[in-house]
Every structure is written in C-alpha cells, then in structure tokens.
Amino acid sequence: MEKNLEIFESLVTYIYKSMMQISFNLSFFIFRLSRCYVFAFLCLSVVLLNAQDTLVLNLNDAIQRSISNSVDAVVAKNEYKSSYWSYRTYKAELLPELAFDVMLPYYSKSYNSYQNEDGSYTFVENDYSILDAGLSISQNIPFTGGVISIESSLERLQQYGENGSKNFMAAPFSITLEQPLNGYNRIRWLQRIEPVKYKEAEQKLVADMEDVAHQAIQYYFNLLLGQINLEIAEQNLKNSEKIYAIAEAKRKIGQISENDLLQLGVSLLKAESYMTDAQASFAARMFQLRSFLGYGEETVLKPIIPELFAEEIPRLDYYETLTLANENNAFTQNIQRRLLETSHDVSQAKADRWEASLFLSFGMSNQDQLFTEIYHIDNWRDHQIVNLGIRAPIVDWGKKKGKVKIAEANREVVTSRIEKEKIDFNQTIFLTVQNFNNQSKQLLLAKETDEIAQKRYQTSIEAFILGKIDVLNLNDAQSSKDEARRNYIEQMFYLWSYYYQIRALTLYDFVNGKELTVAHEDYLQ
C-alpha cells in the first residue's frame, strides 16, 4: 500500500512538472513571436522618427518658448492689455474733452394748428430748414465730482414760401456747471481704485509669466521622466535577455534550479510589457509638452537632464521672503482693490437714498438776419439758467435702507474673507520657503543614491553570472536602481518647481538677486 502511494505521488509530481514546463514553453513561444512583432514595430518607429525633426530641448529653452508661444501666455498678455486700456480710459476722464456737434440740414414741410385772436383754430403751412453746429470743451472736476463746460454754437433757420426769411442765432460762449449734491463723487473713487487696479494688473502679468514657466517645467520633467522610464525599460529588457540566455546555459549543466529559470522567464516577459507601456507613456507625454510649446506633430522633442544647480541657490529667510511677497505680489493690490470697491458700493448706496443736483449756465447770445451782425459784441445779450433739483423718497418701505445694509454686509463678508486669505497666503509662503530650503539637500542625496544604486546593479549582474547571488537579490538590485533614477529626476523637478513658485510669489530672482520684470510695452503692440 505504501509502495503504491509513493508511485502515485511520483506520477503526480512528474505530471505537474511536465505541465509547468509545457506552459512555460508555450508562453515563451508566444513571447518570442510577440518580440518579432515588437521588433518590427520598433524598426518602423525608428524609420518614422528619422523622417521627423528631432529637437534636443533643454529646460531654459522650454521655459522661454512657453512664455513666447503658449496659449496660457497669450491669455495673460491679453488680460493685461485689457487692464491697460481700462486704465487709459480712466486717465482720459481726467483730461478736457473737446467735442464738435453738428446737425445736417433738417427740412420740414407740414401743417400745424394755429389759434387765432378770436380763439378759433386754423392750420398754417410751415416750410423751413435748420442747420445747427456747436463746439464745446468739458472737464470733470475731481474735487467736487461735477462737470464744467464751455460751449459756442451757431444755428441757421431758413423759412420758405411767399414770406420766407433767413435768420441766424449764435451763442458765442456759454459756461455750464453740473454738480451732484448727494455726496457721491464718482471721479474721486476712480482716482482711488483705478491706479491700484492697474498696478495689480502689472504685477499679475509678471506672476502669470512665472506660472507659465512653472507649467512648462512640469510638462518638461514629465516628458523627461517618461524618457528615463523608456531608457530603463530598454536597458532592463536587454539585461533580462542576456541573463535569461546565461540562465538557460547554466540550467543545462545544473547550476540553477528550474524554479529560478522560470522566474527569470517571467521577469523577461514583464520587461517586454514594461517596454510597451513606457513607449506609450512617452508618446503621450511628448504630445502634452509639444502642444503646450506650440510645436508641430513632425517635431520629436528630446529633453536633457538640467545641470545640477542646487549648490548655487541661497537659503531663504521666511520673513525676508514674506516682505518681498507683500511688496511685489499682486495679492496685496488685490486686497486693497477689493476693500476700496466694497467701500465704494456702500458710499454709492448711501448717496442713492436721495438725489439732488445743481445746474448753472451763463452766456451771451444774439440773433439777426445777417450773419455778419450776430457776432458783433454790441448786439450780444446775456442769458442765464439756474436749476436746482431734489428728489427724495417719502415712503419707500425701507428699499433704500435695505440696499445700504446689503452693501455694508457685503463689505463685512469681503473683509472676513480677506483676513483668512492673508493667513493662507502667509502659510503658503512659509511652507514653500521650508520646502525650497530642504530640497537642495534632498536632490544631492538622491543623486548620490542614484550613483550607488547603478553601481550595485552592475555588481549584482556580475555576481549572478558567477553564481554568487540568487534571482531575488538580482531583482531587488534592479528595482532599487530604477527607483533611485526616477527619484533623482523627481527631486530635481521639485527643486525647480519650488524655485519658480517662490519667484511667482515674490516676483524676485534670488539666484541673480534682482526683481523680476517684463517689458509691458511689448505686450501692447
């Protein structure tokens, strides 16, 4: 009974090993076949790439091109252009405005009702034409919010028919003052808000360009990491093929077990799969950067690893950085503008509770049938107009008061939000400075780790060939090597990312020790 059981166990073991061998051989046959297709695909890819333009791109070139060509940069420039012309419009309101008004010949022939001396009505013919022209100059008064203007006008009236006549009327000059009396001065509020708004736009443009550069850095390192992954996958595939060929020879002479050979075969299949994934990922990342920088589909971008500049970056002080941010960042102007705008809304709501205005006009005029006589100074007659208008609600059921309360509540809401935003802004400065100061050391450690991991992997390959380590140790060395190279690229990205975040927050170049500026006039072409 025991002997039969041993025979049965041996038979089961033999069948299991045979099935595993057949399964692996079948998988490896499929792998060999798939490699033929992959090889053909790679050959085709090489041909296509050769037909395209390969551009070796460094990080600085990518940043400069993004600022010049990217859609985000164009949007930022046009937003600044809009703010600039808004500011120019405000400045024009402070200057005198010269206007010429003319009414081209107006002709009318009609019958109008006419009351006779006895109280009866008849219709009389009215056939005439009018030509009217005037020249005026007006000026806003910032101190009072009123408008003063000087005008000169001329009118010609021509009547047709049997008793036709021609008359002229001229107002050589007249001075007019229009003054609101409700306490709201629109011009004074514009003088307080518009300069702040324009300075905010200038600082925002510089910060937007830094944000565009930061976006270019993200896409650049994303493509660089994809390229590194592709290079790792290619190298791992070559090494896996080499190691598997050696393992097959060692298996024939019994130096390694069947299980180790199967594990190396699985590793070879995984290397092929990683290669395919890396190619697809690299193509997608290239499309992303190429689209952002405005290159055509025929251009193949080849990023290079930026030079290590961790030792050149100074260590930042939080309070100094915060001071620069408060001076240069558009956030400071944004806060001031929003507070002014809410105060303006309150002031306007209070002024709208009642309306009052004063209109004064004084001038000289004359009329005559001869054009040469109407400008004779001896014939001038003075004319004056004084109009004081007041409109105040008697019963509005609290509508005006409600508008004031709404404006005051909105001001309190904005003030509360601003206080929180100030805290968040300071916290952002603190964390970014902290991360930036630590990143230089992190990058140097990652670089040293990468160099050690590369050497360890090469040593592990040689040790495996000599039979001094097993497959598990070899795979661990490979994983450590790949992870160290990826981590080195990621740490370099973090350093550049934090650096440009600090630049965008402070509008200051700490490496060269100068403030960041742009040629604003170039964006107004």
Side-chain angles (χ1 to χ4, degrees):
M1 183 66 179
E2 294 179 355
K3 184 176 182 181
N4 292 335
L5 183 60
E6 292 178 358
I7 295 174
F8 177 74
E9 290 178 351
S10 299
L11 180 62
V12 171
T13 302
Y14 175 75
I15 294 173
Y16 173 75
K17 289 184 177 180
S18 298
M19 291 179 65
M20 289 295 295
Q21 185 65 38
I22 292 172
S23 176
F24 177 73
N25 290 337
L26 180 61
S27 300
F28 203 68
F29 171 75
I30 296 174
F31 164 70
R32 294 283 189 181
L33 184 62
S34 66
R35 284 189 60 203
C36 294
Y37 289 107
V38 172
F39 179 75
F41 173 76
L42 291 176
C43 291
L44 180 61
S45 299
V46 171
V47 173
L48 292 176
L49 290 178
N50 289 334
Q52 296 176 316
D53 297 329
T54 300
L55 176 64
V56 178
L57 186 69
N58 62 50
L59 182 57
N60 288 327
D61 291 341
I63 291 173
Q64 293 304 318
R65 184 174 178 88
S66 69
I67 293 175
S68 302
N69 291 27
S70 70
V71 175
D72 292 356
V74 173
V75 171
K77 294 171 186 177
N78 281 282
E79 287 179 349
Y80 168 72
K81 187 181 296 186
S82 175
S83 299
Y84 169 79
W85 285 109
S86 176
Y87 182 71
R88 283 286 303 271
T89 302
Y90 146 72
K91 295 291 287 185
E93 290 204 43
L94 303 179
L95 301 175
E97 180 178 345
L98 182 66
F100 176 69
D101 299 320
V102 61
M103 182 177 66
L104 297 178
Y106 170 81
Y107 174 75
S108 175
K109 183 177 182 180
S110 60
Y111 288 89
N112 300 320
S113 61
Y114 175 77
Q115 187 176 20
N116 299 315
E117 293 181 358
D118 59 0
S120 62
Y121 284 90
T122 58
F123 288 95
V124 296
E125 183 185 66
N126 196 3
D127 187 5
Y128 69 96
S129 65
I130 297 177
L131 179 63
D132 188 7
L135 183 66
S136 64
I137 182 171
S138 60
Q139 171 69 58
N140 287 310
I141 307 174
F143 182 72
T144 64
V147 179
I148 187 171
S149 60
I150 301 175
E151 182 179 3
S152 178
S153 63
L154 172 66
E155 182 177 342
R156 175 184 181 275
L157 174 63
Q158 175 73 55
Q159 290 183 308
Y160 304 100
E162 295 181 358
N163 298 320
S165 63
K166 180 171 60 175
N167 289 277
F168 295 90
M169 187 180 74
F173 77 91
S174 63
I175 301 175
T176 302
L177 172 65
E178 299 178 56
Q179 177 63 53
L181 302 177
N182 58 357
Y184 173 70
N185 189 335
R186 186 181 67 88
I187 301 299
R188 287 293 295 273
W189 279 109
L190 287 177
Q191 287 181 316
R192 297 176 64 184
I193 294 175
E194 290 300 323
V196 176
K197 185 186 295 185
Y198 182 60
K199 186 175 181 180
E200 177 188 358
E202 288 184 317
Q203 293 177 338
K204 184 176 182 296
L205 176 62
V206 182
D208 286 344
M209 292 298 104
E210 294 301 306
D211 290 339
V212 170
H214 183 258
Q215 188 65 53
I217 291 171
Q218 287 183 313
Y219 289 150
Y220 183 89
F221 275 96
N222 194 30
L223 178 60
L224 181 60
L225 186 59
Q227 179 175 282
I228 295 297
N229 288 336
L230 183 59
E231 292 173 355
I232 290 173
E234 290 174 348
Q235 187 61 45
N236 288 344
L237 180 59
K238 292 179 181 179
N239 292 340
S240 296
E241 291 173 345
K242 177 181 177 181
I243 292 173
Y244 185 79
I246 295 172
E248 280 185 318
K250 294 176 71 173
R251 174 59 186 152
K252 291 179 182 179
I253 60 177
Q255 290 187 355
I256 63 172
S257 65
E258 183 70 19
N259 182 62
D260 287 344
L261 182 62
L262 292 174
Q263 191 169 356
L264 288 172
V266 171
S267 298
L268 184 56
L269 292 172
K270 287 183 177 180
E272 181 62 35
S273 176
Y274 292 154
M275 178 71 178
T276 304
D277 292 341
Q279 290 172 336
S281 176
F282 179 70
R285 298 179 187 206
M286 181 182 296
F287 175 81
Q288 189 180 48
L289 179 60
R290 191 164 52 193
S291 174
F292 184 73
L293 298 182
Y295 287 109
E297 295 182 358
E298 70 283 354
T299 303
V300 177
L301 302 178
K302 184 176 177 57
I304 58 177
I305 299 177
E307 296 181 0
L308 187 66
F309 75 118
E311 299 176 353
E312 303 175 6
I313 297 179
R315 187 171 183 84
L316 303 183
D317 177 72
Y318 165 68
Y319 294 102
E320 179 184 356
T321 306
L322 182 61
T323 301
L324 287 171
N326 288 328
E327 292 175 355
N328 300 334
N329 196 284
F331 176 69
T332 302
Q333 306 302 322
N334 177 271
I335 289 175
Q336 186 178 355
R337 173 182 60 80
R338 288 156 61 192
L339 290 175
L340 286 171
E341 287 176 345
T342 55
S343 297
H344 161 267
D345 293 341
V346 172
S347 176
Q348 187 173 21
K350 289 180 177 180
D352 289 344
R353 288 181 298 180
W354 59 283
E355 299 176 9
S357 62
L358 175 64
F359 181 88
L360 298 175
S361 179
F362 170 80
M364 306 299 291
S365 63
N366 186 28
Q367 68 87 25
D368 200 288
Q369 293 183 344
L370 298 177
F371 177 78
T372 55
E373 295 296 326
I374 58 174
Y375 283 102
H376 198 286
I377 192 170
D378 295 333
N379 298 328
W380 285 4
R381 301 291 182 269
D382 62 340
H383 68 267
Q384 303 92 21
I385 299 175
V386 178
N387 181 25
L388 175 62
I390 298 177
R391 183 179 185 274
I394 298 176
V395 178
D396 68 350
W397 310 106
K399 183 174 65 175
K400 300 290 187 180
K401 181 179 180 181
K403 290 183 178 180
V404 174
K405 294 299 182 181
I406 291 173
E408 290 176 342
N410 290 336
R411 180 171 61 181
E412 293 300 321
V413 169
V414 171
T415 302
S416 299
R417 287 178 177 172
I418 286 176
E419 291 302 319
K420 182 180 182 303
E421 290 173 7
K422 286 181 179 179
I423 296 174
D424 294 341
F425 181 75
N426 293 348
Q427 185 70 18
T428 299
I429 297 291
F430 178 81
L431 293 176
T432 307
V433 168
Q434 184 182 58
N435 292 333
F436 179 76
N437 287 334
N438 294 335
Q439 194 55 38
S440 297
K441 183 177 180 180
Q442 292 291 101
L443 178 57
L444 294 175
L445 291 175
K447 184 175 185 294
E448 185 177 356
T449 303
D450 177 58
E451 294 173 352
I452 295 174
Q454 299 296 326
K455 293 178 181 179
R456 180 200 171 195
Y457 179 62
Q458 295 299 326
T459 304
S460 298
I461 292 177
E462 297 173 359
F464 177 78
I465 294 174
L466 297 176
K468 295 182 179 180
I469 62 173
D470 56 13
V471 175
L472 292 177
N473 287 324
L474 179 63
N475 290 338
D476 180 68
Q478 177 181 314
S479 299
S480 299
K481 179 260 300 183
D482 297 345
E483 183 62 29
R485 174 51 58 91
R486 294 188 185 98
N487 182 61
Y488 172 56
I489 299 300
E490 289 176 354
Q491 296 302 324
M492 182 176 292
F493 160 70
Y494 288 138
L495 180 61
W496 282 91
S497 177
Y498 292 142
Y499 176 54
Y500 270 82
Q501 287 179 41
I502 289 290
R503 283 167 57 108
L505 289 170
T506 60
L507 302 188
Y508 192 83
D509 183 355
F510 290 92
V511 173
N512 298 313
K514 62 180 182 180
E515 291 188 359
L516 298 174
T517 58
V518 297
H520 294 88
E521 61 277 3
D522 293 343
Y523 300 142
L524 303 175
Q525 301 298 328

